[in-house]
Amino acid sequence: MDSALPTTQTKTSETGTTRRDTVTITDNRTGKSYELPITHDAIRAMDLRQIKVHPEDFGMMSYDPAFNNTASCISRITYIDGDKGILRYRGYSIEELAEKSTYLETAYLLLRGELPTAAQLKDWQYNVTHHTFIHESIKKFLDGFHYDAHPMGMVISTIAALSTFYNDAKDIFNEESRRKQTYRLVGKMPTIAAFAYRHTLGMPYVYPDNDLSYPGNFLNMLFRTSEARYRPNPTLERALDILFILHADHEQNCSTNTVRGVGSSHVDPYSATAAAIAALYGPLHGGANEEVVRMLHEIGSVQKVPEFIKRVKAGETKLMGFGHRVYKNYDPRARIIKRVAYEVFDLMGKNPLLEIALECERIALEDEYFVKRKLYPNVDFYTGLIYQSMGFPTTMFPVLFAIPRMSGWIAQWEELLLDPEQKIARPRQIYLGYDTRSYAPIEQRL
Ligand code: ACO
């Protein structure tokens, strides 16, 4: 859909019949009909406003809690066909990117719209790498957290705190400024995440090593102990890079909607992305991988899977890592992740929870309850097992999701800012509360 308001179009089909790209709504309260333009299979909600019984009425709205069928923006970043299990970034399939690209190259693609040339990639890598260090005061800030603070809470707060360090970030309509904050946010995310992790262990922070790759340096900052130079294992480095590619963007999900909603107030990108990380923290979103591992532990053995599935079907609990608002087919990311999982297990040893997970998947994919509801494994079903095998505690799982999603959030935030049709996000409501009431003094209240 282009930015201009859609106009009614008439087309002649091959058989000679004319087709009008409109929909006619008849309001049976008044008998009046309204012809609304259709563009890209959508009508504009504002076109409903003309539908009124009395001239002084507010006009009709659409009611769509949780945005089940409402497009809130025009986007050219990520495409999903949930029924077919397709995911593409800027037109490139997730399968091809996972096989051939790196996270940093994919992040460039998301942010700038095209794959970089060799020179552009070199420049982008240089700039991200040279923004990985954090101000020493941020270290003090992290030191203030309790030893058992959840790393996701630390990351949310620290990203928000960055806005107080970079006042130039408020200049959001300045392209140079946006570019600088992008280098900082993409560059510093792994550093802040790794420092949060080391803080929980009471271990000294490891400074970035600019000679390592983006995932390699992250592993260095997480796991380096006494060695003079940390050498990441290439299998784990590549596995992490693929996981980062798979998590880089996912169109208008809860956290992306948050970055757009908060960003629409024209706040700086640190505050907007901190809000997005907070949205991702929830167990129904990026926190689901943590919940999957908890659930598999709770199930305990392959023999107990049927009993657990029975409880799920009775509505007592959910099969975490299953189901998706958009995918009504196998999540394409889950398929790639399953392959990566085996590569990691070959190196690190099989995760004992894998058998339980495979049994859950086997039963669920055959069971009518799941088949009827089109519930398939989502991205989170296997990621937790990989992260666990790589040595991450469960509390780090959502952080591992947030690091790569930063590039997607910034791409979406920038698209919002540059979209002339966008304004401050402000949904309507249907008010069903009390009509006017008189204030009763406290002694008269029952
Ligand atoms: N286990 C059991 N039943 C489920 C599950 C599940 N994981 N997911 C959905 N259902 C059932 C619902 O109870 C509902 O059944 P009903 O029609 O009998 O009422 C039906 O399937 C439809 O589910 P909704 O909740 O309407 O689907 P919605 O699109 O709102 O929710 C969500 C999607 C939140 C992902 C949901 O499937 C869920 O909670 N899954 C578990 C959590 C999870 O894995 N989240 C990660 C999502 S991926 C991501 O954010 C990166």
Side-chain angles (χ1 to χ4, degrees):
M1 193 185 292
D2 289 314
S3 296
L5 266 173
T7 48
T8 307
Q9 290 182 4
T10 307
K11 288 181 188 147
T12 309
S13 74
E14 282 167 15
T15 54
T17 51
T18 51
R19 192 185 92 177
R20 287 166 68 76
D21 285 340
T22 62
V23 64
T24 301
I25 297 177
T26 303
D27 184 347
N28 294 321
R29 298 170 302 178
T30 57
K32 275 199 212 159
S33 284
Y34 303 82
E35 189 177 3
L36 311 184
I38 303 172
T39 307
H40 299 288
D41 281 339
I43 60 162
R44 287 188 173 251
M46 278 304 284
D47 284 347
L48 298 173
R49 201 60 93 61
Q50 60 189 301
I51 304 176
K52 300 178 177 188
V53 176
H54 306 290
E56 67 278 11
D57 285 352
F58 182 75
M60 188 172 281
M61 295 186 290
S62 60
Y63 175 58
D64 189 11
F67 306 118
N68 271 295
N69 196 36
T70 294
S72 63
C73 64
I74 289 163
S75 185
R76 294 180 172 83
I77 302 173
T78 292
Y79 173 76
I80 301 175
D81 184 329
D83 291 328
K84 295 196 183 119
I86 291 173
L87 170 60
R88 293 186 201 126
Y89 297 158
R90 303 278 190 188
Y92 295 94
S93 82
I94 195 66
E95 289 81 4
E96 200 173 5
L97 290 170
E99 191 193 327
K100 299 178 184 163
S101 186
T102 62
Y103 169 67
L104 273 193
E105 186 187 58
T106 298
Y108 183 100
L109 170 71
L110 286 167
L111 287 155
R112 308 270 173 90
E114 297 295 337
L115 283 169
T117 61
Q120 286 166 335
L121 183 61
K122 200 167 157 215
D123 179 68
W124 164 242
Q125 277 170 336
Y126 178 89
N127 279 305
V128 171
T129 307
H130 285 80
H131 285 88
T132 49
F133 277 68
I134 55 173
H135 196 288
E136 287 294 295
S137 296
I138 300 252
K139 267 174 41 188
K140 288 189 218 147
F141 182 81
L142 281 163
D143 282 340
F145 285 103
H146 222 284
Y147 75 94
D148 60 354
H150 195 294
M152 200 63 171
M154 289 195 250
V155 174
I156 296 167
S157 324
T158 311
I159 291 293
L162 287 184
S163 75
T164 65
F165 286 78
Y166 305 113
N167 284 325
D168 58 327
K170 292 186 173 31
D171 199 3
I172 56 169
F173 289 106
N174 176 337
E175 191 181 347
E176 247 337 282
S177 167
R178 286 200 306 273
R179 208 157 266 203
K180 191 81 176 277
Q181 314 321 320
T182 304
Y183 298 143
R184 287 175 174 149
L185 277 163
V186 176
K188 292 179 202 318
M189 263 308 265
T191 314
I192 292 168
F195 280 26
Y197 170 69
R198 302 279 291 204
H199 176 75
T200 60
L201 297 179
M203 288 181 74
Y205 303 127
V206 176
Y207 282 75
D209 180 341
N210 287 356
D211 290 333
L212 294 175
S213 70
Y214 189 83
N217 174 47
F218 180 49
L219 290 168
N220 159 62
M221 292 187 289
L222 288 163
F223 299 130
R224 188 174 143 209
T225 48
S226 57
E227 57 274 51
R229 198 81 198 260
Y230 181 85
R231 302 251 169 258
N233 178 292
T235 304
L236 298 187
E237 188 180 3
R238 181 61 191 151
L240 202 55
D241 212 24
I242 294 175
L243 287 161
F244 281 179
I245 293 170
L246 301 183
H247 286 88
D249 195 49
H250 212 233
E251 55 118 299
Q252 307 312 313
N253 53 78
C254 176
S255 55
T256 302
N257 185 49
T258 302
V259 83
R260 281 180 174 263
V262 175
S264 77
S265 74
H266 292 176
V267 73
D268 67 86
Y270 300 100
S271 305
T273 53
I277 306 171
L280 188 71
Y281 193 4
L284 296 188
H285 192 10
N289 46 19
E290 205 176 333
E291 296 301 318
V292 170
V293 170
R294 284 210 184 96
M295 175 192 78
L296 296 174
H297 270 297
E298 187 197 319
I299 298 171
S301 71
V302 171
Q303 293 70 30
K304 291 190 182 147
V305 171
E307 181 58 34
F308 183 80
I309 297 283
K310 221 186 253 175
R311 284 182 49 216
V312 171
K313 287 162 64 178
E316 289 170 30
T317 183
K318 270 188 175 174
L319 182 57
M320 297 309 287
F322 259 70
H324 198 277
R325 173 61 58 81
V326 178
Y327 292 117
K328 301 301 168 196
N329 199 323
Y330 216 99
D331 181 336
R333 299 167 301 172
R335 215 184 288 280
I336 300 166
I337 283 168
K338 209 169 161 183
R339 178 177 53 74
V340 174
Y342 281 105
E343 285 165 17
V344 172
F345 298 156
D346 280 347
L347 184 78
M348 309 298 285
K350 200 156 83 182
N351 188 320
L353 298 177
L354 177 67
E355 296 299 335
I356 305 175
L358 288 170
E359 184 64 359
C360 286
E361 182 184 336
R362 190 190 65 76
I363 297 184
L365 292 183
E366 287 173 358
D367 191 292
E368 206 213 326
Y369 175 94
F370 298 90
V371 174
K372 210 172 84 193
R373 290 171 177 78
K374 299 188 176 167
L375 300 171
Y376 291 89
N378 60 47
V379 70
D380 288 317
F381 194 62
Y382 287 104
T383 46
L385 297 185
I386 305 181
Y387 296 149
Q388 206 178 40
S389 291
M390 288 172 95
F392 290 105
T394 47
T395 51
M396 278 298 283
F397 296 178
V399 175
L400 291 160
F401 192 151
I403 293 170
R405 186 54 62 85
M406 184 53 82
S407 57
W409 287 328
I410 302 169
Q412 299 272 352
W413 167 76
E414 202 163 20
E415 190 176 62
L416 162 103
L417 290 183
L418 301 180
D419 182 344
E421 275 201 309
Q422 289 289 349
K423 300 183 193 186
I424 188 162
R426 194 354 180 142
R428 294 278 172 186
Q429 66 167 10
I430 295 174
Y431 178 74
L432 295 180
Y434 286 104
D435 206 343
T436 181
R437 297 200 283 174
S438 305
Y439 180 87
I442 198 158
E443 57 286 358
Q444 288 176 19
R445 294 179 212 157
L446 297 172

